[in-house]
Amino acid sequence: SSDVCSSDLADSKAKTACSVKHPPNNSAMEIKLLNDIVVIFAVAVVVLLLFHRLRLPAIIGFLFTGALTGPHGFGLVGAVHEVEILAEVGIVLLLFTIGIEFSVDELLRIKRQVLFGGALQVGLTIAATYLLVAQLGLAIGPAVFAGFLVSLSSTAIVMRLYQETGTINTSHGRLSLAVLIFQDIAIVPLMLFAPILAGAGGDPFPQLVELALKALGVVILIIVASRWIVPKAFFFIARASSRELFLISTSVLCFAVAWLTAELGLSLALGAFMAGLIISESEYSHQALENILPFRDVFTSFFFVSVGMLLDVRIAVEQAGVVFGAALVVIFLKACIVGFVALALGYP
């Protein structure tokens, strides 16, 4: 009876039986999420096999999977929000592994590309987009906001493509990463200025000063942790000769730093990259990378699927001219601007 189930004297077996008879209210959602995961992976297997035959990148296969299974496709996946949460985990793991392959010294060597190149790319793209969109009759606020949107790129998609082609350590791969790092930092100031463009914001200067101080604190923390704290901690962890302990410790470092930067108002992706930089200074960085790679590939697939779910095929078909025309303009505009930035930085 329910009285027996609620009794503190019920033993573990009785409680287990009661839980079977009276399952928690969220069990249906858990089963639904499991069903959706099975559907996503089953469709992805078929799509990836087809795309492999066609020699197309796996990323496009995952995007196509999301478009098929999402709410604008066949509606096979209902727990879209839960999939997006898994996608966030994938972004964190992806940027974490990229950070491991880098180092603090390498990041300091490309600081000019990050600061000068990134600022030039974002600033010029915002200005060019504003001038272009303003010709269509948009007011100043919406035109500048459109520039904010066009100036940013997807760090996860770009870096995953570079990883697949093995070009992340080339000169253009490092320049791209430098610009993307600046974009991840610039997102927060752009968000602070957005209410002002809508005529509903106050003075963002105090918030920008606070953000700069927080970013400085994160940089100091990363340098201290990468030089003295993490190497010693992982030395003692490695002495235990436990693969499970090492994996959990690596995961804690990754998600803790990502959570910290998110709490400070910066992005999860930037925090995960910083966590990778911290562990890259340790002699156990290769072992950490090897352990985390399988989880990265699984969770990153959720990210690309979740992006594909955003595509409304019906609108894309109905407005095909506008969609493809706008895409071509954005690609051409950003290619010209980034080409100019590369020349300004002394690249061939």
Side-chain angles (χ1 to χ4, degrees):
S1 66
S2 59
D3 293 336
V4 174
C5 288
S6 60
S7 172
D8 293 335
L9 299 178
D11 61 16
S12 59
K13 290 182 179 179
K15 287 181 178 178
T16 302
C18 290
S19 67
V20 173
K21 284 186 176 182
H22 307 282
N25 293 332
N26 63 349
S27 61
M29 178 56 71
E30 293 171 355
I31 296 297
K32 178 61 178 172
L33 177 59
L34 181 59
N35 291 341
D36 289 345
I37 291 175
V38 171
V39 169
I40 288 173
F41 283 150
V43 174
V45 167
V46 177
V47 172
L48 290 179
L49 281 173
L50 175 61
F51 276 51
H52 178 72
R53 291 289 183 88
L54 298 175
R55 298 179 181 240
L56 293 173
I59 288 181
I60 301 179
F62 284 122
L63 295 173
F64 190 70
T65 299
L68 287 177
T69 60
H72 303 299
F74 293 104
L76 302 177
V77 174
V80 177
H81 177 66
E82 287 74 14
V83 172
E84 290 174 349
I85 294 175
L86 297 176
E88 292 289 343
V89 177
I91 295 174
V92 168
L93 294 177
L94 175 63
L95 271 296
F96 179 61
T97 57
I98 292 171
I100 293 178
E101 295 174 341
F102 242 62
S103 69
V104 176
D105 292 335
E106 286 178 299
L107 183 62
L108 292 176
R109 279 199 293 269
I110 63 169
K111 61 181 181 296
R112 181 168 174 265
Q113 288 91 325
V114 173
L115 299 176
F116 177 71
L120 200 58
Q121 183 270 324
V122 171
L124 290 177
T125 305
I126 292 174
T129 305
Y130 164 74
L131 294 175
L132 186 63
V133 175
Q135 300 300 316
L136 302 177
L138 263 69
I140 295 178
V144 174
F145 186 72
F148 288 179
L149 298 178
V150 175
S151 68
L152 303 175
S153 307
S154 172
T155 303
I157 290 179
V158 176
M159 288 296 98
R160 179 62 181 269
L161 285 169
Y162 277 135
Q163 280 189 332
E164 286 187 352
T165 55
T167 54
I168 193 170
N169 289 318
T170 61
S171 59
H172 61 273
R174 291 178 180 271
L175 175 59
S176 297
L177 178 61
V179 174
L180 289 167
I181 290 173
F182 184 87
Q183 289 181 4
D184 283 336
I185 297 172
I187 287 175
V188 180
L190 296 183
M191 290 175 63
L192 293 177
F193 277 108
I196 298 177
L197 298 177
D203 183 12
F205 183 73
Q207 292 175 290
L208 291 174
V209 172
E210 181 183 0
L211 176 66
L213 293 175
K214 288 178 179 179
L216 179 61
V218 170
V219 171
I220 294 173
L221 173 64
I222 288 169
I223 295 175
V224 172
S226 62
R227 299 295 187 191
W228 296 286
I229 299 176
V230 172
K232 292 181 179 180
F234 271 84
F235 172 75
F236 288 107
I237 292 170
R239 287 181 63 183
S241 300
S242 171
R243 186 174 182 274
E244 293 80 8
L245 176 61
F246 191 88
L247 176 60
I248 293 298
S249 302
T250 304
S251 302
V252 167
L253 175 64
C254 169
F255 290 108
V257 177
W259 169 81
L260 175 63
T261 56
E263 286 294 305
L264 293 177
L266 301 170
S267 70
L268 278 172
L270 183 63
F273 177 75
M274 296 301 182
L277 286 179
I278 291 174
I279 204 172
S280 70
E281 299 297 313
S282 166
E283 60 182 299
Y284 306 102
S285 59
H286 294 293
Q287 184 179 349
L289 180 62
E290 181 182 350
N291 288 341
I292 214 76
L293 281 178
F295 300 97
R296 181 205 69 181
D297 293 338
V298 171
F299 281 97
T300 305
S301 64
F302 284 113
F303 168 72
F304 298 117
V305 170
S306 69
V307 173
M309 288 181 179
L310 299 175
L311 176 62
D312 191 333
V313 180
R314 180 181 56 82
I315 294 179
V317 172
E318 291 177 355
Q319 305 288 336
V322 176
V323 171
F324 287 103
L328 290 174
V329 169
V330 168
I331 292 172
F332 177 76
L333 179 69
K334 295 186 75 171
C336 292
I337 291 173
V338 175
F340 172 77
V341 171
L343 290 174
L345 289 170
Y347 285 84

Short mmCIF file of all heavy atoms in Angstrom, two decimals, residues 96 100 229-241 246-247 249-250 253 276 278-292:
data_model
loop_
_atom_site.label_atom_id
_atom_site.label_comp_id
_atom_site.label_asym_id
_atom_site.label_seq_id
_atom_site.Cartn_x
_atom_site.Cartn_y
_atom_site.Cartn_z
N PHE A 96 37.54 21.39 -25.30
CA PHE A 96 38.50 20.90 -24.32
C PHE A 96 39.63 20.15 -25.01
O PHE A 96 40.81 20.36 -24.73
CB PHE A 96 37.78 19.99 -23.32
CG PHE A 96 38.68 19.39 -22.28
CD1 PHE A 96 39.39 20.19 -21.39
CD2 PHE A 96 38.80 18.02 -22.16
CE1 PHE A 96 40.22 19.64 -20.43
CE2 PHE A 96 39.62 17.45 -21.20
CZ PHE A 96 40.33 18.26 -20.33
N ILE A 100 43.70 20.99 -25.28
CA ILE A 100 44.76 20.06 -24.91
C ILE A 100 45.84 20.01 -25.99
O ILE A 100 47.04 19.90 -25.71
CB ILE A 100 44.19 18.64 -24.67
CG1 ILE A 100 43.30 18.63 -23.42
CG2 ILE A 100 45.31 17.61 -24.50
CD1 ILE A 100 42.65 17.29 -23.14
N ILE A 229 49.61 23.93 -10.14
CA ILE A 229 48.59 23.14 -9.44
C ILE A 229 48.28 21.83 -10.16
O ILE A 229 48.44 20.74 -9.61
CB ILE A 229 47.30 23.98 -9.25
CG1 ILE A 229 47.59 25.22 -8.43
CG2 ILE A 229 46.22 23.13 -8.58
CD1 ILE A 229 46.40 26.15 -8.28
N VAL A 230 47.85 21.92 -11.41
CA VAL A 230 47.38 20.74 -12.14
C VAL A 230 48.47 19.70 -12.38
O VAL A 230 48.24 18.50 -12.17
CB VAL A 230 46.71 21.17 -13.47
CG1 VAL A 230 46.40 19.95 -14.34
CG2 VAL A 230 45.44 21.95 -13.18
N PRO A 231 49.70 20.09 -12.80
CA PRO A 231 50.73 19.04 -13.00
C PRO A 231 50.99 18.22 -11.75
O PRO A 231 51.13 16.99 -11.82
CB PRO A 231 51.96 19.87 -13.41
CG PRO A 231 51.40 21.09 -14.04
CD PRO A 231 50.16 21.41 -13.25
N LYS A 232 51.06 18.88 -10.58
CA LYS A 232 51.31 18.14 -9.34
C LYS A 232 50.11 17.27 -8.98
O LYS A 232 50.27 16.12 -8.55
CB LYS A 232 51.61 19.12 -8.21
CG LYS A 232 52.93 19.85 -8.37
CD LYS A 232 53.20 20.79 -7.20
CE LYS A 232 54.55 21.49 -7.38
NZ LYS A 232 54.84 22.42 -6.26
N ALA A 233 48.89 17.81 -9.17
CA ALA A 233 47.69 17.03 -8.84
C ALA A 233 47.60 15.78 -9.71
O ALA A 233 47.32 14.68 -9.22
CB ALA A 233 46.45 17.91 -9.02
N PHE A 234 47.86 15.92 -11.00
CA PHE A 234 47.78 14.76 -11.89
C PHE A 234 48.92 13.77 -11.67
O PHE A 234 48.78 12.59 -11.99
CB PHE A 234 47.74 15.24 -13.35
CG PHE A 234 46.34 15.50 -13.85
CD1 PHE A 234 45.72 16.71 -13.61
CD2 PHE A 234 45.65 14.53 -14.53
CE1 PHE A 234 44.44 16.96 -14.06
CE2 PHE A 234 44.36 14.76 -14.99
CZ PHE A 234 43.75 15.97 -14.75
N PHE A 235 50.03 14.24 -11.12
CA PHE A 235 51.12 13.33 -10.77
C PHE A 235 50.65 12.33 -9.70
O PHE A 235 50.88 11.13 -9.81
CB PHE A 235 52.33 14.12 -10.28
CG PHE A 235 53.43 13.25 -9.73
CD1 PHE A 235 54.25 12.53 -10.58
CD2 PHE A 235 53.63 13.15 -8.36
CE1 PHE A 235 55.27 11.73 -10.07
CE2 PHE A 235 54.63 12.35 -7.85
CZ PHE A 235 55.46 11.65 -8.71
N PHE A 236 49.98 12.86 -8.67
CA PHE A 236 49.48 11.99 -7.61
C PHE A 236 48.33 11.11 -8.10
O PHE A 236 48.20 9.95 -7.70
CB PHE A 236 49.04 12.83 -6.41
CG PHE A 236 50.17 13.44 -5.64
CD1 PHE A 236 50.44 14.80 -5.73
CD2 PHE A 236 50.99 12.66 -4.84
CE1 PHE A 236 51.50 15.37 -5.04
CE2 PHE A 236 52.05 13.22 -4.14
CZ PHE A 236 52.31 14.58 -4.24
N ILE A 237 47.48 11.65 -8.97
CA ILE A 237 46.36 10.87 -9.52
C ILE A 237 46.89 9.73 -10.38
O ILE A 237 46.39 8.60 -10.31
CB ILE A 237 45.43 11.79 -10.34
CG1 ILE A 237 44.70 12.78 -9.41
CG2 ILE A 237 44.41 10.97 -11.13
CD1 ILE A 237 43.96 13.87 -10.13
N ALA A 238 47.92 10.01 -11.19
CA ALA A 238 48.48 8.98 -12.07
C ALA A 238 49.15 7.87 -11.27
O ALA A 238 49.19 6.71 -11.69
CB ALA A 238 49.47 9.61 -13.04
N ARG A 239 49.69 8.21 -10.10
CA ARG A 239 50.35 7.20 -9.26
C ARG A 239 49.38 6.13 -8.77
O ARG A 239 49.80 5.02 -8.43
CB ARG A 239 51.03 7.87 -8.07
CG ARG A 239 52.28 8.65 -8.44
CD ARG A 239 52.93 9.26 -7.22
NE ARG A 239 53.38 8.24 -6.27
CZ ARG A 239 53.94 8.53 -5.09
NH1 ARG A 239 54.11 9.80 -4.73
NH2 ARG A 239 54.32 7.56 -4.28
N ALA A 240 48.10 6.46 -8.74
CA ALA A 240 47.10 5.49 -8.29
C ALA A 240 46.88 4.40 -9.32
O ALA A 240 46.27 3.37 -9.02
CB ALA A 240 45.77 6.19 -7.98
N SER A 241 47.33 4.63 -10.56
CA SER A 241 47.21 3.65 -11.65
C SER A 241 45.76 3.19 -11.86
O SER A 241 45.49 2.02 -12.12
CB SER A 241 48.10 2.43 -11.38
OG SER A 241 49.45 2.81 -11.28
N PHE A 246 41.57 8.63 -13.25
CA PHE A 246 42.17 9.61 -14.16
C PHE A 246 41.11 10.24 -15.06
O PHE A 246 41.10 11.45 -15.28
CB PHE A 246 43.25 8.94 -15.00
CG PHE A 246 44.10 9.90 -15.77
CD1 PHE A 246 45.24 10.47 -15.22
CD2 PHE A 246 43.75 10.27 -17.08
CE1 PHE A 246 46.02 11.36 -15.94
CE2 PHE A 246 44.51 11.16 -17.80
CZ PHE A 246 45.65 11.71 -17.23
N LEU A 247 40.20 9.41 -15.58
CA LEU A 247 39.14 9.92 -16.46
C LEU A 247 38.22 10.87 -15.71
O LEU A 247 37.88 11.95 -16.22
CB LEU A 247 38.34 8.75 -17.03
CG LEU A 247 37.14 9.11 -17.90
CD1 LEU A 247 37.56 9.92 -19.12
CD2 LEU A 247 36.40 7.85 -18.34
N SER A 249 38.89 12.61 -13.02
CA SER A 249 39.64 13.82 -12.67
C SER A 249 39.73 14.76 -13.87
O SER A 249 39.57 15.98 -13.74
CB SER A 249 41.03 13.45 -12.18
OG SER A 249 40.98 12.59 -11.07
N THR A 250 39.99 14.19 -15.04
CA THR A 250 40.05 14.99 -16.26
C THR A 250 38.71 15.65 -16.55
O THR A 250 38.63 16.84 -16.90
CB THR A 250 40.46 14.11 -17.46
OG1 THR A 250 41.70 13.46 -17.17
CG2 THR A 250 40.61 14.94 -18.72
N LEU A 253 38.00 18.60 -14.16
CA LEU A 253 38.73 19.80 -14.55
C LEU A 253 38.05 20.49 -15.73
O LEU A 253 37.86 21.71 -15.73
CB LEU A 253 40.17 19.44 -14.91
CG LEU A 253 41.04 20.57 -15.46
CD1 LEU A 253 41.23 21.64 -14.40
CD2 LEU A 253 42.37 20.05 -15.95
N GLY A 276 41.41 22.90 -21.36
CA GLY A 276 42.34 22.11 -22.16
C GLY A 276 43.75 22.68 -22.14
O GLY A 276 44.74 21.94 -22.07
N ILE A 278 45.06 24.30 -19.67
CA ILE A 278 45.62 24.01 -18.35
C ILE A 278 46.25 22.63 -18.32
O ILE A 278 47.39 22.44 -17.87
CB ILE A 278 44.53 24.13 -17.27
CG1 ILE A 278 44.11 25.59 -17.09
CG2 ILE A 278 45.01 23.57 -15.94
CD1 ILE A 278 42.94 25.79 -16.15
N ILE A 279 45.53 21.64 -18.84
CA ILE A 279 46.03 20.26 -18.78
C ILE A 279 47.10 20.00 -19.85
O ILE A 279 47.88 19.04 -19.75
CB ILE A 279 44.87 19.26 -18.91
CG1 ILE A 279 45.26 17.92 -18.28
CG2 ILE A 279 44.46 19.06 -20.35
CD1 ILE A 279 44.12 16.94 -18.17
N SER A 280 47.15 20.86 -20.88
CA SER A 280 48.15 20.67 -21.93
C SER A 280 49.56 20.86 -21.39
O SER A 280 50.53 20.35 -21.99
CB SER A 280 47.91 21.65 -23.08
OG SER A 280 48.20 22.99 -22.69
N GLU A 281 49.72 21.60 -20.28
CA GLU A 281 51.03 21.82 -19.69
C GLU A 281 51.49 20.62 -18.87
O GLU A 281 52.64 20.58 -18.42
CB GLU A 281 50.99 23.07 -18.79
CG GLU A 281 50.63 24.35 -19.52
CD GLU A 281 51.68 24.71 -20.57
OE1 GLU A 281 52.88 24.66 -20.27
OE2 GLU A 281 51.28 25.03 -21.71
N SER A 282 50.60 19.65 -18.67
CA SER A 282 50.95 18.46 -17.90
C SER A 282 51.54 17.39 -18.81
O SER A 282 51.22 17.32 -20.00
CB SER A 282 49.71 17.92 -17.18
OG SER A 282 49.93 16.62 -16.69
N GLU A 283 52.41 16.55 -18.26
CA GLU A 283 52.99 15.46 -19.04
C GLU A 283 51.96 14.36 -19.33
O GLU A 283 52.24 13.44 -20.10
CB GLU A 283 54.18 14.86 -18.29
CG GLU A 283 53.84 14.28 -16.93
CD GLU A 283 55.07 13.74 -16.22
OE1 GLU A 283 55.69 12.81 -16.78
OE2 GLU A 283 55.39 14.24 -15.14
N TYR A 284 50.78 14.46 -18.72
CA TYR A 284 49.74 13.46 -18.91
C TYR A 284 48.68 13.94 -19.90
O TYR A 284 47.58 13.38 -19.97
CB TYR A 284 49.08 13.13 -17.57
CG TYR A 284 50.05 12.70 -16.51
CD1 TYR A 284 50.45 13.59 -15.51
CD2 TYR A 284 50.62 11.43 -16.52
CE1 TYR A 284 51.36 13.21 -14.54
CE2 TYR A 284 51.53 11.04 -15.55
CZ TYR A 284 51.90 11.94 -14.56
OH TYR A 284 52.82 11.56 -13.62
N SER A 285 48.99 14.97 -20.68
CA SER A 285 48.00 15.54 -21.60
C SER A 285 47.59 14.55 -22.68
O SER A 285 46.41 14.47 -23.05
CB SER A 285 48.55 16.82 -22.24
OG SER A 285 49.74 16.54 -22.95
N HIS A 286 48.53 13.76 -23.19
CA HIS A 286 48.20 12.79 -24.25
C HIS A 286 47.26 11.71 -23.71
O HIS A 286 46.34 11.27 -24.41
CB HIS A 286 49.48 12.16 -24.80
CG HIS A 286 50.35 13.13 -25.53
ND1 HIS A 286 49.97 13.72 -26.72
CD2 HIS A 286 51.57 13.64 -25.23
CE1 HIS A 286 50.92 14.53 -27.13
NE2 HIS A 286 51.91 14.51 -26.25
N GLN A 287 47.50 11.27 -22.47
CA GLN A 287 46.61 10.26 -21.87
C GLN A 287 45.22 10.83 -21.66
O GLN A 287 44.22 10.16 -21.90
CB GLN A 287 47.20 9.80 -20.54
CG GLN A 287 46.39 8.68 -19.88
CD GLN A 287 47.01 8.23 -18.57
OE1 GLN A 287 48.15 8.60 -18.25
NE2 GLN A 287 46.28 7.45 -17.80
N ALA A 288 45.15 12.09 -21.22
CA ALA A 288 43.85 12.73 -21.02
C ALA A 288 43.09 12.85 -22.32
O ALA A 288 41.88 12.60 -22.39
CB ALA A 288 44.05 14.12 -20.39
N LEU A 289 43.81 13.22 -23.39
CA LEU A 289 43.17 13.36 -24.70
C LEU A 289 42.66 12.02 -25.20
O LEU A 289 41.54 11.93 -25.72
CB LEU A 289 44.18 13.94 -25.69
CG LEU A 289 43.69 14.16 -27.13
CD1 LEU A 289 42.55 15.16 -27.16
CD2 LEU A 289 44.84 14.63 -28.02
N GLU A 290 43.45 10.96 -25.03
CA GLU A 290 43.05 9.64 -25.49
C GLU A 290 41.80 9.16 -24.76
O GLU A 290 40.91 8.53 -25.37
CB GLU A 290 44.20 8.65 -25.25
CG GLU A 290 43.90 7.23 -25.71
CD GLU A 290 45.04 6.28 -25.40
OE1 GLU A 290 46.13 6.76 -25.01
OE2 GLU A 290 44.84 5.06 -25.56
N ASN A 291 41.70 9.45 -23.47
CA ASN A 291 40.55 8.99 -22.69
C ASN A 291 39.26 9.74 -23.03
O ASN A 291 38.17 9.16 -22.97
CB ASN A 291 40.84 9.16 -21.19
CG ASN A 291 41.85 8.16 -20.67
OD1 ASN A 291 42.09 7.12 -21.30
ND2 ASN A 291 42.46 8.45 -19.54
N ILE A 292 39.38 11.00 -23.39
CA ILE A 292 38.18 11.83 -23.57
C ILE A 292 37.64 11.78 -25.00
O ILE A 292 36.49 12.14 -25.25
CB ILE A 292 38.49 13.29 -23.15
CG1 ILE A 292 37.26 13.95 -22.52
CG2 ILE A 292 38.97 14.11 -24.33
CD1 ILE A 292 36.98 13.52 -21.13
#
